[in-house]
Amino acid sequence: MADRTQALEEMLEGFHAMKSCLASRHRPLEGKLPLTWSQWLVLGVIARKGPIPVSGIADALRISRSAATQSVNELVKSGHAKKAPDEHDARTMRVSLSSKTQKALSTVRKAALANMRKLFSALSDKEFAQYITLHRKLARGCGK
């Protein structure tokens, strides 16, 4: 495609439509964990990687350490996360989820995955596999 502008504009609109679709299905869950989008992303990293230093969160999300620190501090203050010294290096703090947040996140994650399954049910298994391959390629390219 020589001129991608029109297709890219259509993609932007499509991304917005998919995000709106998922968000509208997610609204009943907001009361369980009333968080900002940034805080959700940080909790997701902590949930996937276990106790992790703030620098690991920053690297995973490709954000500054100060932005990661600010989000972590807000999560600790609200009781969603906790900090503890690293057992191998007392100078480093590791961040983990609080037990109440682990439970709530599990419930929210199950519902979010169900919503994603509904969204992607429009694709055949072959199309879905191709989409995932392309998605991974694009996500890796974001860091360049």
Side-chain angles (χ1 to χ4, degrees):
M1 184 182 304
D3 180 25
R4 296 182 176 200
T5 303
Q6 186 175 357
L8 290 172
E9 287 175 356
E10 186 179 333
M11 285 176 63
L12 279 174
E13 291 169 9
F15 289 149
H16 178 72
M18 287 191 305
K19 183 179 175 187
S20 295
C21 175
L22 292 171
S24 67
R25 291 179 183 161
H26 182 73
R27 283 198 179 95
L29 303 170
E30 286 176 350
K32 291 190 183 297
L33 289 173
L35 303 167
T36 66
W37 181 249
S38 299
Q39 291 170 327
W40 273 107
L41 293 174
V42 170
L43 285 180
V45 170
I46 298 167
R48 281 190 311 281
K49 299 187 181 258
I52 184 172
V54 172
S55 60
I57 294 168
D59 292 344
L61 295 175
R62 297 181 182 140
I63 60 175
S64 69
R65 283 181 171 66
S66 63
T69 298
Q70 182 179 354
S71 289
V72 165
N73 287 344
E74 291 169 5
L75 290 168
V76 169
K77 187 176 178 180
S78 64
H80 294 296
K82 55 188 178 181
K83 290 183 187 178
D86 185 305
E87 58 188 47
H88 302 292
D89 182 357
R91 298 170 297 171
T92 303
M93 298 297 282
R94 290 202 168 267
V95 184
S96 60
L97 300 177
S98 68
S99 58
K100 78 171 187 172
T101 301
Q102 283 177 335
K103 284 182 184 179
L105 195 58
S106 175
T107 301
V108 169
R109 184 168 289 216
K110 286 176 188 172
L113 287 172
N115 290 337
M116 293 289 287
R117 278 189 205 94
K118 286 179 188 175
L119 176 68
F120 284 97
S121 68
L123 302 178
S124 69
D125 288 346
K126 183 178 178 180
E127 290 170 329
F128 182 71
Q130 185 177 18
Y131 179 89
I132 293 300
T133 299
L134 294 171
H135 176 83
R136 287 177 181 148
K137 183 175 182 178
L138 290 172
R140 280 192 300 272
C142 283
K144 294 179 181 177

